[in-house]
Amino acid sequence: MRPEPPNGSAGVPEIFGGGIYGAIRRAVVIGNGFPGAENQCLGLVRALGLSGRHSLYRVLRPRGGINEWLHWLPVSVHKKLDHFIRQIFGGSGLKVEGKKGMPLLGKKNGLLHVLEADAKQIAKVARETFDQYGPLLVIASGRDTISIASSIKRFAPENVFVVQIQHPRSRLDRFDLVIAPRHDYYSLNPQARQQIPWLVRRWITPCEPPGKNVVLTVGALHQADFAALRSAASAWHEELASLPKPLLVVNIGGPSSNCRYGVDLAKQLATMLQNVLWSCGSVRISFSRRTPKKVSKLLMEEFNTHPKVYIWDGEGPNPHLGHLAWADAFVITADSVSMLSEACSIGKPVYVIGADRCTWKFADFQKSLAERGVVRPFTGKEDISGSWSYSPLNDTAEAANRVHSALVARGWRIHT
């Protein structure tokens, strides 16, 4: 039984006033293996001051063979079906990556392993270590993490604080806090409703405006905060500081169902870049894992021998944070909410190509960036040495402040 705190607040030991029982000293991140989702969780961890005091768990799906076509199934159903297939046809070529049964927190509560998420095990550890370490902060992102995160909350409601990043679509009361971009609520827009056939409108979520436990952001959360950029500026100083200015960084993502493009956009981009090279001191081009080979090949053939242009081929250290720290301007394909959110948080000019190809809520995201003045369309007529001022996005820090406020309302706080 916990002792009752003495009357008055002066000279009260840490054990009272939420000192031990209300101080959050560690966090668990529930990821889905996709950098875009997990980086949001890790960015929030950084903003809350819990870097080095968190463990990463993943919700793992079966891989290989027919499993690549079954990602639309709930994870639990997918695993049962995979087990059934293994029993009948054997397990060759099918695997689930990850470890189970490892301790929740390693040495110094740091990130030592990537473990397979087990809601009952995480909740059990949260309950059993509550008196020693206080509450456990759980941060999850992505569709596959919803059931795990909500189950942890159900199994240990008095011992955890659960934050779900990205809209879980239904039953938001399963979480202490939901952090979602405003464009996730695009389906409530009258213009959006007109685009949905009336027969399926009731199935399109979300169906209700955001409640009190919802934090709305403009873009995605990320790890590119001031400290990270300062560290990257130092790490990449030798390679990037001496480049002729202005330095234009071009980030190429990849097409998606709501932002389709191919070699046609790559040709358009190549022409536009040729037209602005006169105003650039240096240009650095990076591709993502999603960039189609035809797109990267065309741009490499176009610029590989140009003295002003360097193309990162994926070998060696990823210069992404170094580019964010040293760039004077950016050109970014419209498909990547993450890359745009990072660049728009720095305050440098950000030009977008392909925004006209975005549909549904991603078109709404592009519209919101343009209305805020943080991006402009890339036309190929720009003078890259020019600039404009705008209020940079600050979604990660603002979301962290809302987490702090929600914790205080519950009588808890982050231990610093």
Side-chain angles (χ1 to χ4, degrees), residues 70-365:
L70 300 177
H71 287 191
W72 57 273
L73 290 172
V75 176
S76 59
V77 176
H78 189 175
K79 288 185 175 181
K80 290 177 181 178
L81 181 58
D82 174 66
H83 177 73
F84 175 74
I85 293 173
R86 287 169 182 268
Q87 293 295 104
I88 297 177
F89 300 105
S92 60
L94 305 178
K95 62 180 179 177
V96 177
E97 301 175 354
K99 303 176 182 178
K100 295 188 73 172
M102 300 293 290
L104 175 64
L105 296 172
K107 183 179 180 182
K108 296 182 181 179
N109 292 348
L111 174 59
L112 299 184
H113 305 281
V114 177
L115 314 174
E116 184 171 2
D118 184 324
K120 290 184 178 179
Q121 179 64 23
I122 295 172
K124 179 182 178 183
V125 174
R127 292 193 303 268
E128 292 179 350
T129 62
F130 182 82
D131 288 344
Q132 182 178 3
Y133 292 112
L136 177 66
L137 178 64
V138 178
I139 303 175
S141 180
R143 179 171 63 91
D144 285 351
T145 69
I146 293 171
S147 62
I148 294 290
S150 60
S151 294
I152 295 171
K153 175 68 176 176
R154 187 173 73 253
F155 294 144
E158 302 301 321
N159 311 106
V160 299
F161 189 93
V162 178
V163 179
Q164 184 71 35
I165 301 175
Q166 298 182 333
H167 201 286
R169 300 303 167 196
S170 64
R171 296 170 54 205
L172 274 61
D173 57 352
R174 293 175 290 172
F175 310 96
D176 293 292
L177 213 60
V178 171
I179 301 174
R182 287 183 175 86
H183 59 263
D184 269 1
Y185 282 88
Y186 178 66
S187 60
L188 300 181
N189 187 308
Q191 180 181 352
R193 304 301 288 181
Q194 293 177 2
Q195 299 175 36
I196 307 171
W198 69 270
L199 283 173
V200 298
R201 285 181 185 175
R202 61 177 299 185
W203 306 107
I204 302 298
T205 57
C207 302
E208 299 177 350
K212 292 182 179 180
N213 69 327
V214 177
V215 177
L216 294 179
T217 63
V218 176
L221 308 189
H222 56 81
Q223 300 187 67
D225 57 20
F226 178 79
L229 293 177
R230 182 173 58 184
S231 176
S234 176
W236 289 89
H237 181 276
E238 183 176 349
E239 183 169 341
L240 301 180
S242 60
L243 292 178
K245 298 289 187 176
L247 168 58
L248 175 65
V249 167
V250 182
N251 289 331
I252 314 296
S256 66
S257 59
N258 287 293
C259 191
R260 299 183 183 277
Y261 62 85
V263 175
D264 56 336
L265 188 69
K267 291 179 179 178
Q268 182 183 349
L269 174 60
T271 300
M272 291 177 176
L273 286 176
Q274 290 284 8
N275 290 339
V276 301
L277 276 175
W278 68 270
S279 66
C280 300
S282 309
V283 177
R284 289 178 67 100
I285 301 175
S286 291
F287 305 111
S288 78
R289 297 181 185 89
R290 299 183 297 107
T291 307
K293 289 185 179 180
K294 290 182 178 180
V295 170
S296 57
K297 181 181 178 182
L298 186 148
L299 291 172
M300 291 183 72
E301 289 176 350
E302 183 77 18
F303 295 105
N304 215 21
T305 59
H306 198 289
K308 282 189 176 184
V309 181
Y310 170 85
I311 301 177
W312 184 58
D313 59 5
E315 298 295 326
N318 190 330
H320 181 63
L321 279 176
H323 286 171
L324 289 174
W326 285 101
D328 296 299
F330 299 89
V331 172
I332 301 175
T333 53
D335 58 276
S336 181
V337 175
S338 296
M339 290 194 296
L340 283 168
S341 299
E342 290 171 336
C344 292
S345 69
I346 295 172
K348 300 292 181 67
V350 179
Y351 299 98
V352 181
I353 183 168
D356 57 322
R357 299 165 186 245
C358 292
T359 60
W360 194 238
K361 66 179 183 178
F362 293 97
D364 190 58
F365 171 63

